[in-house]
Amino acid sequence: MEATRFLWVILVLYGTAVILNNAGVEASHKVYTGFESVEAVQVKQLHRTGFHFQPKRHWINGIIWPMYYNGIYHLFYQYNPKGAVWGNIVWAHSVSTDMINWTSLDPAIYPSKPFDRYGCWSGSATILPGNKPIILYTGIVDQNQTQVQNYAIPANYSDPYLREWVKPDNNPLVSADVGVNGSAFRDPTTAWWGKDGHWRMVVGSRRRQRGLVYLYRSRDFMKWTKAQHPLHSSARSGMWECPDFYPVSLDGETGLETSVIEGNIKHVFKVSLDVTRYEYYTIGTYFREKDRYVPDNTSVDSWAGLRYDYGNFYASKTFYDAGKNRRILWGWTNESDTTQEDVQKGWAGVQTIPRKVWLDPSGKQLLQWPIEELETLRGRKVHLNNQQLKLGDRFEIKGITAAQADVEVTFTFPSLDKAEKFDPSWAAMDAQQLCSRKGSTNKGGVGPFGLLTLASEDLSEYTPVFFRVFRRGDKHVVLMCSDATSSSLNEKPYKPSFAGFVDVDLTDKKLSLRTLIDHSVVESFGAGGKTCITSRVYPTVAVSKDARLFAFNNGTEKITVESLNAWSMANPLLMN
């Protein structure tokens, strides 16, 4: 997997040419000749985040394998030690006891052997019996980008930080079989153990335009055999990168270890789509006897399906946190400004806040929420309640650092009678297109209402995060938006209107929103984590102490801010 920016992709779908503007990302594995080894002389602090994870300088992209081992969280990620664009990739390594304060170590893996001479790409970690971690990763063996699956092990298991990793000479473990596209064969998953005595893992690939994951089995983790059939596939979805496959409980929020395959559970299957640069997941059933995964009929099995995040979010990976019995999701949010600006500022790429993930009681989707450890960074607090907002009203939330804040708010409305009718012509649109058409300033019935984040005093710059309620027959449709269109007076950055629909019961006439604001990141969680959207923005006026935060309503229905809590957020004590 690798980062990209500003790509127009032309696909032939059902006989029709479809052009996709890819949310500010560009061609996969693109080398910027002349830029990839331009080291940052000075790192510009403007727009650097305070509490999101990023190294001190240069390029970072997708997480390869987060891991919890003997009380320590390990984060391995792609990193360019020589520049602020993709290239010279090594696997950087940082450790933490809380996933908030991080200490960087020397790179864990870098190209050094014939089986990874041209690159060390994504992979995952598995804890073997005897409490021994092992890493599976994709190696690039030649200039044709032929991809193989390798392994690495700690040089010293007694080292609590696992500083040094060894790549044995019996690599590669898995090479592309006949009929497998060797240049589209990457990102092995965390392995799981079956009652038949076999380990299993999958590798992302494609067959023409069909996305798929090949399934491999092994008794000893060293000799792997490809199964006759893929674990799962989907037509016209292109290359599947960074697949993830894991169980979730139907009985509550407790996370499950990856090898749990029985009981009152469902399975989640996630892929990062190289062709759209978005991710999607389905919820379904793993039939272990046939080694087949089948999505439920409530999960759309294509890029119109469910997404972890409907914004700037890619190359994610989950892991089982045995310390707190939860499953944690990490994702990467790339820059939306230009490559030249990245080189000038000396850095690029941020990791989103780690999220706890679990199955919604409906069984139809996942819920996500920032890990509880983030709350240790909360500082000065502002509390408001029962603040009414009529059409065109807004009020400023003062007393906190609006450029680096955590905001939780619950909105209520007395009636849904004024909800706009959902135009049948909109059915062909996705949420992002609808948000772009309607916007935060376009007067509605119930909404738009929400927050104006990273706003200047005169509102020449602002990033609204808001809801809008529509009526469709006897049901209601809730749209959640994070709209970067007015986020910056700088015309160079990509400034999309990100959006997703929220599957929420409006019987109590309430909608909740949590937004993490961090200089150039606006990371939002709607309705308790049912819909999540991350935006990257680059204000020129609404920066540092000049940033403002407002609540607003541009709907004819009166909105009440039932409760609002906002905190200034501190920086971690330790950071890369």
Side-chain angles (χ1 to χ4, degrees), residues 6-78:
F6 305 125
L7 171 66
W8 288 86
V9 178
I10 300 178
L11 298 174
V12 177
L13 182 61
Y14 301 109
T16 303
V18 179
I19 300 178
L20 301 174
N21 184 326
N22 269 334
V25 295
E26 70 192 18
S28 183
H29 308 108
K30 182 172 183 178
V31 176
Y32 295 92
T33 303
F35 283 149
E36 71 271 21
S37 298
V38 178
E39 294 201 36
V41 176
Q42 181 180 5
V43 175
K44 294 183 179 179
Q45 297 302 310
L46 184 69
H47 300 135
R48 276 185 66 82
T49 62
F51 57 91
H52 283 74
F53 179 92
Q54 61 182 136
K56 291 182 178 179
R57 61 177 185 165
H58 293 161
W59 170 274
I60 180 178
N61 65 277
I63 291 173
I64 307 315
W65 48 83
M67 178 178 70
Y68 178 80
Y69 180 69
N70 289 351
I72 302 292
Y73 296 101
H74 295 258
L75 183 60
F76 303 86
Y77 51 94
Q78 287 188 325

Side-chain angles (χ1 to χ4, degrees), residues 169-225:
D169 288 334
N170 65 330
N171 277 302
L173 294 184
V174 178
S175 299
D177 295 75
V178 175
V180 175
N181 184 346
S183 64
F185 180 63
R186 53 186 178 267
D187 309 342
T189 63
T190 298
W192 67 96
W193 176 256
K195 285 190 173 182
D196 59 358
H198 285 87
W199 288 97
R200 289 164 170 81
M201 60 96 173
V202 297
V203 179
S205 188
R206 65 176 171 84
R207 186 182 297 134
R208 292 182 289 276
Q209 287 306 311
R210 172 175 285 273
L212 55 88
V213 285
Y214 291 111
L215 176 74
Y216 288 83
R217 304 186 188 97
S218 175
R219 287 190 176 274
D220 60 3
F221 223 87
M222 291 292 106
K223 183 179 180 180
W224 292 86
T225 302

Side-chain angles (χ1 to χ4, degrees), residues 80-157:
N80 181 355
K82 297 181 180 180
V85 301
W86 187 85
N88 308 306
I89 293 298
V90 302
W91 288 120
H93 183 194
S94 293
V95 292
S96 173
T97 57
D98 59 7
M99 287 186 282
I100 300 298
N101 298 278
W102 291 92
T103 300
S104 62
L105 305 176
D106 290 339
I109 295 179
Y110 47 87
S112 63
K113 296 289 186 77
F115 47 79
D116 64 13
R117 177 183 175 188
Y118 288 88
C120 299
W121 290 2
S122 299
S124 59
T126 302
I127 307 297
L128 297 181
N131 196 32
K132 293 185 176 181
I134 186 171
I135 284 170
L136 294 172
Y137 73 98
T138 297
I140 311 303
V141 300
D142 56 34
Q143 291 179 324
N144 295 324
Q145 293 195 351
T146 301
Q147 297 157 26
V148 297
Q149 314 315 316
N150 302 321
Y151 79 104
I153 55 176
N156 180 6
Y157 289 101

